[in-house]
């Protein structure tokens, strides 16, 4: 299977504003310290790590919301690493993002229909109303929801709108950054089952960022474990869970509280 | 004596729908009870009612909250506040918003001891240092002089735990205390709370939506749906065989990394309809006296 993403020795540093002197530049903190991996076309890849491990920064670099300071990101053969905003714009339709907090990533003044239609319009699609209707249908929301505002929806429904907005553009790749961490277990299950089905039906490639290994086990074929900006493990998910190699992976696994009072949790 | 007894507690939005429907539960001294349910089920509302910090938009319409035998709801407001202040504490969900960003840590722990409980500043400072050491904070003196933004999320949550235990409360309400933390830090914090709880013999109402967490720190649990307790069980019994179909479905929705085929099953519509019918039947019964 061809690789959709090829990432080589990816480095990314950000300015540390807490240590900025009054005059002069802030010192740089290296967040990603040389990551190399590929994402095969059609795969669902889990990216896991503790807070501060760089998993969201990695996601943002993949969809070029952040510009790498070193290394290379190739997407379907195109080198994205230092492309200008103008050169990225036509490509953006092909890699979409679903955000963690749907309430802050959906415009509160727009109705759901407008929210889904806006990117379609920007990318010059035709037949927009039909596309909006189909996207709502694909995420299992009734057509009447097009007229609702985000605050009228439950957390799970809002997250479906986020998914609808992303898939309406018929992208090749979707980045989902902690998209279920704010949801109850039941809505979490619904949203994940939906995403699993859409990835299969639409032939999408998915990068799924989460701190929850249970969710990744269910959804992803490959798992990348990040620790302090480096990859400590990158393997097929079943192998990683059965025989974790890195100490940090073992620590992560043993910290998960299973719903079972007999689990040893020393 | 039982640390806390709640009998038929009803809370509603002023001139609006009920939020808690005759909730009853009890808590032995030194016991940890989990309050679980989906968001909006009323689990935090119970904790807020006990601590007397319900928002002004809601009112208590009936029931009793007995704290070591005294019905808090029958005390005059000033006595009630004093009573709660002296024997209860809260461990909040978000350690960043619970700490004042413009004050140093030290006074944020000690002010309550000095202003409300009448301790001397010297005793309060010594107590704060002792507790920070107990929650395994290295260099307590430095931390007491720090501002919240200088500390990590895990450190801040430790400080709030130390602060909750400072006045040796009989009852602590822990409102999703680890939801904002990642799993490895969550484990440290849960072990810390369990250790402190055992040493100090404190009863805890532990609000969470994570049944995995309940199975690690609680002895009993109440499962809530729409402000109604649908199941009250011992943890060991619950995880072997939940009795109510809704709580069984909630357990089936909880993911397990050890078994990729289990978990992540949404609560079936039929179960939701059945539990909603139960709630409706309850409301009809209340309406007809």
């Amino acid at each position: 299977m061809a690789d959709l993403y090829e990432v080589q020795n990816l480095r990314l540093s950000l300015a540390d504003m807490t240590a900025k002197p009054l005059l002069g530049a802030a010192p740089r903190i290296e967040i990603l310290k040389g990551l190399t991996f590929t994402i095969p076309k059609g795969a669902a890849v889990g990216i896991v790590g503790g807070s501060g491990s760089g998993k969201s920064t990695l996601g943002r670099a993949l969809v070029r919301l952040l510009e790498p300071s070193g290394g290379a990101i190739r997407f379907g053969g195109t080198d994205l690493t230092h492309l200008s905003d103008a050169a990225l714009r036509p490509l953006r339709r092909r890699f979409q993002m679903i955000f963690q907090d749907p309430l802050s990533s959906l415009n509160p003044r727009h109705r759901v229909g407008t929210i889904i239609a806006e990117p379609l319009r920007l990318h010059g699609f035709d037949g927009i109303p039909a596309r909006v209707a189909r996207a709502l249908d694909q995420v299992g929301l009734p057509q009447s929801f097009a007229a609702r505002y985000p605050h009228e929806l439950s957390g799970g429904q809002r997250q479906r709108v986020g998914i609808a907005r992303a898939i309406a553009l018929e992208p090749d790749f979707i980045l989902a950054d902690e998209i279920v961490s704010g949801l109850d277990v039941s809505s979490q299950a619904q949203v994940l089952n939906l995403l699993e089905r859409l990835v299969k039906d639409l032939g999408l490639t998915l990068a799924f960022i989460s701190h929850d290994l249970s969710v990744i086990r269910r959804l992803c074929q490959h798992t990348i474990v990040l620790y302090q900006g480096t990859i400590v493990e990158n393997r097929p998910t079943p192998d990683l869970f059965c025989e974790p190699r890195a100490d940090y992976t073992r620590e992560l696994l043993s910290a998960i509280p299973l719903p079972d009072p007999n689990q040893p949790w020393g | 004596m039982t640390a806390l007894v709640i009998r038929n507690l009803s809370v509603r939005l002023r001139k609006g729908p009920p939020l808690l429907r005759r909730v009853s539960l009890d808590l032995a001294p030194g016991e940890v009870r989990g309050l679980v349910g989906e968001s909006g089920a009323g689990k935090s509302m119970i904790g807020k009612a006990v601590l007397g910090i319900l928002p002004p938009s809601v009112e208590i319409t009936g029931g009793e909250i007995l704290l070591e035998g005294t019905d808090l709801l029958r005390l005059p407001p000033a006595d009630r506040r004093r009573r709660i202040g002296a024997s209860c504490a809260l461990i909040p969900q978000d350690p960043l918003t619970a700490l004042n960003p413009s004050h140093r840590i030290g006074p944020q722990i000690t002010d309550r001891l000095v202003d409300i409980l009448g301790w001397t500043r010297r005793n309060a400072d010594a107590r704060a240092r002792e507790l920070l050491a107990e929650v395994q904070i290295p260099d307590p003196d430095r931390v007491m002089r720090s501002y919240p933004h200088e500390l990590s999320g895990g450190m801040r949550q430790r400080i709030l735990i130390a602060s909750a235990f400072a006045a040796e409360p009989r009852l602590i309400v822990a409102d999703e205390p680890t939801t904002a933390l990642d799993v490895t830090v969550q484990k440290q914090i849960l072990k810390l709370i369990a250790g402190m709880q055992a040493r100090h013999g404190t009863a805890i109402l532990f609000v969470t939506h994570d049944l995995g967490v309940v199975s690690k720190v609680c002895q009993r649990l109440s499962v809530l749906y729409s402000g109604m307790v649908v199941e009250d069980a011992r943890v060991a019994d619950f995880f072997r065989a939940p009795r109510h179909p809704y709580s069984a479905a909630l357990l089936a929705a909880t993911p397990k990394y050890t078994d990729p085929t289990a978990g992540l099953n949404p609560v079936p519509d039929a179960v939701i309809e059945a539990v909603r019918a139960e709630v409706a039947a309850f409301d009809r019964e209340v309406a007809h006296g």
Side-chain angles (χ1 to χ4, degrees):
Chain A
M1 199 170 358
D3 290 330
L4 185 65
Y5 266 104
E6 287 170 71
V7 177
Q8 259 172 3
N9 197 27
L10 174 68
R11 292 176 178 278
L12 200 147
S13 58
L14 295 172
D16 179 9
M17 298 311 284
T18 63
K20 185 190 178 307
L22 188 55
L23 301 171
R28 315 275 304 172
I29 304 181
E30 185 146 73
I31 313 279
L32 303 178
K33 300 168 184 166
L35 310 182
T36 301
F37 62 93
T38 57
I39 300 179
K41 201 168 167 17
V45 173
I47 300 173
V48 70
S51 45
S53 61
K55 52 190 195 298
S56 287
T57 306
L58 170 59
R60 274 152 204 268
L62 288 178
V63 296
R64 268 307 310 277
L65 293 175
L66 291 172
E67 184 175 351
S69 42
I73 301 174
R74 264 183 291 278
F75 171 78
T78 313
D79 189 339
L80 295 182
T81 324
H82 302 290
L83 278 189
S84 68
D85 285 351
L88 276 168
R89 208 159 293 133
L91 283 169
R92 289 211 178 274
R93 179 194 67 77
R94 297 178 55 200
F95 42 87
Q96 286 296 309
M97 182 164 178
I98 309 167
F99 297 87
Q100 171 166 12
D101 176 6
L103 201 52
S104 63
S105 58
L106 302 177
N107 189 329
R109 298 172 187 215
H110 283 178
R111 296 175 195 271
V112 165
T114 313
I115 289 171
I116 300 172
E118 192 84 347
L120 289 166
R121 206 168 51 70
L122 285 173
H123 284 285
F125 277 85
D126 52 12
I128 290 177
R131 290 175 188 273
V132 171
R134 194 171 67 203
L136 282 173
D137 205 38
Q138 282 170 319
V139 298
L141 291 176
Q143 295 300 324
S144 61
F145 273 51
R148 297 209 188 174
Y149 288 97
H151 73 264
E152 297 175 288
L153 310 179
S154 72
Q157 290 165 344
R158 275 182 216 133
Q159 210 47 292
R160 284 167 193 261
V161 174
I163 296 173
R165 175 171 62 183
I167 61 167
L169 293 166
E170 301 174 1
D172 302 318
F173 172 77
I174 285 187
L175 170 71
D177 188 353
E178 298 274 15
I179 61 165
V180 292
S181 50
L183 302 179
D184 294 316
V185 279
S186 184
S187 343
Q188 199 177 47
Q190 286 173 1
V191 168
L192 291 171
N193 289 346
L194 169 70
L195 194 62
E196 196 174 22
R197 186 166 54 74
L198 287 173
V199 165
K200 203 180 294 165
D201 292 355
L202 305 177
L204 294 168
T205 307
L206 176 75
F208 189 88
I209 297 175
S210 179
H211 64 272
D212 188 339
L213 280 161
S214 308
V215 168
I216 285 191
R217 163 117 224 209
R218 171 66 188 268
L219 197 64
C220 303
Q221 294 97 48
H222 293 269
T223 303
I224 294 174
V225 183
L226 279 181
Y227 180 68
Q228 295 184 354
T230 56
I231 293 177
V232 294
E233 198 153 355
N234 177 11
R235 290 163 68 204
T237 307
D239 301 357
L240 182 128
F241 277 83
C242 295
E243 285 175 65
R245 282 187 196 146
D247 290 344
Y248 182 66
T249 312
R250 273 193 287 275
E251 191 186 328
L252 267 184
L253 283 173
S254 72
I256 298 173
L258 291 172
D260 171 9
N262 299 319
Q263 174 201 13
W265 209 57
Chain B
M1 188 186 296
T2 321
L4 176 73
V5 179
I6 297 177
R7 269 194 216 123
N8 294 325
L9 180 66
S10 294
V11 168
R12 65 165 187 188
L13 270 175
R14 286 185 196 278
K15 301 194 175 61
L19 300 173
L20 293 181
R21 295 176 153 93
R22 293 194 180 167
V23 165
S24 295
L25 58 85
D26 60 289
L27 198 59
E31 184 180 44
V32 185
R33 177 186 282 271
L35 298 178
V36 299
E38 297 174 69
S39 40
K43 48 196 196 300
S44 291
M45 199 64 73
I46 296 175
K48 286 184 175 150
V50 171
L51 296 176
I53 51 171
L54 285 171
S57 55
V58 309
E59 60 182 344
I60 293 175
T61 52
E64 297 173 325
I65 301 175
L66 302 161
L67 184 65
E68 300 193 302
T70 311
D71 186 356
L72 294 175
L73 301 180
R74 284 173 188 274
L75 291 178
D79 292 354
R80 179 162 73 211
R81 279 200 297 277
R82 208 170 300 122
R83 176 83 198 215
I84 294 169
S87 47
C88 303
L90 170 72
I91 304 176
Q93 171 169 4
D94 181 353
L96 194 53
T97 52
L99 289 166
N100 188 328
S102 55
H103 286 237
R104 294 178 195 274
I105 296 295
Q108 301 200 49
I109 302 174
T110 54
D111 278 357
R112 192 167 77 100
L113 303 177
V114 175
D115 296 346
I116 297 172
L117 303 175
W119 292 32
T120 64
R121 177 63 61 186
R122 178 193 293 266
N123 282 348
D125 278 350
R127 175 74 176 149
R129 261 193 296 279
E130 185 183 302
L131 278 157
L132 289 178
E134 192 177 343
V135 296
Q136 295 150 30
I137 284 182
D139 200 355
D141 283 307
R142 186 184 61 79
V143 168
M144 282 174 68
R145 287 193 306 272
S146 305
Y147 288 95
H149 75 267
E150 300 176 291
L151 306 166
S152 69
M155 282 280 255
R156 288 195 283 254
Q157 196 53 280
R158 283 165 198 267
I159 287 161
L160 289 169
I161 291 166
S163 180
F165 281 92
E168 291 291 348
R170 307 310 306 146
L171 171 72
I172 287 179
V173 176
D175 193 354
E176 308 241 12
T178 57
T179 307
L181 306 171
D182 69 53
V183 280
T184 50
V185 182
Q186 163 170 278
K187 183 173 178 179
Q188 295 164 9
I189 296 292
L190 290 177
K191 285 185 162 294
L192 185 70
I193 294 177
M196 295 282 282
Q197 183 269 337
R199 274 196 302 280
H200 295 256
T202 319
I204 300 186
L205 273 184
F206 200 105
V207 176
T208 179
H209 63 268
D210 188 340
L211 284 169
V213 169
V214 169
S215 80
K216 299 297 168 276
V217 297
C218 303
Q219 287 93 51
R220 286 195 287 170
L221 82 164
S222 306
V223 181
L224 287 137
Y225 183 84
S226 207
M228 204 164 93
V229 176
V230 297
E231 179 153 1
D232 179 337
R234 303 179 60 78
V235 161
D237 301 335
F238 179 84
F239 286 93
R240 195 165 354 99
R243 289 193 312 271
H244 195 280
Y246 174 74
S247 30
L250 212 53
L251 189 54
T254 307
K256 282 197 198 86
Y257 75 87
T258 44
D259 181 358
T261 58
L264 288 180
N265 302 306
V267 175
D269 291 343
V271 173
I272 295 283
E273 274 162 36
V275 69
R276 280 197 184 139
E278 260 181 72
V279 171
F282 174 89
D283 285 351
R284 274 196 304 278
E285 201 178 302
V286 171
H288 294 115

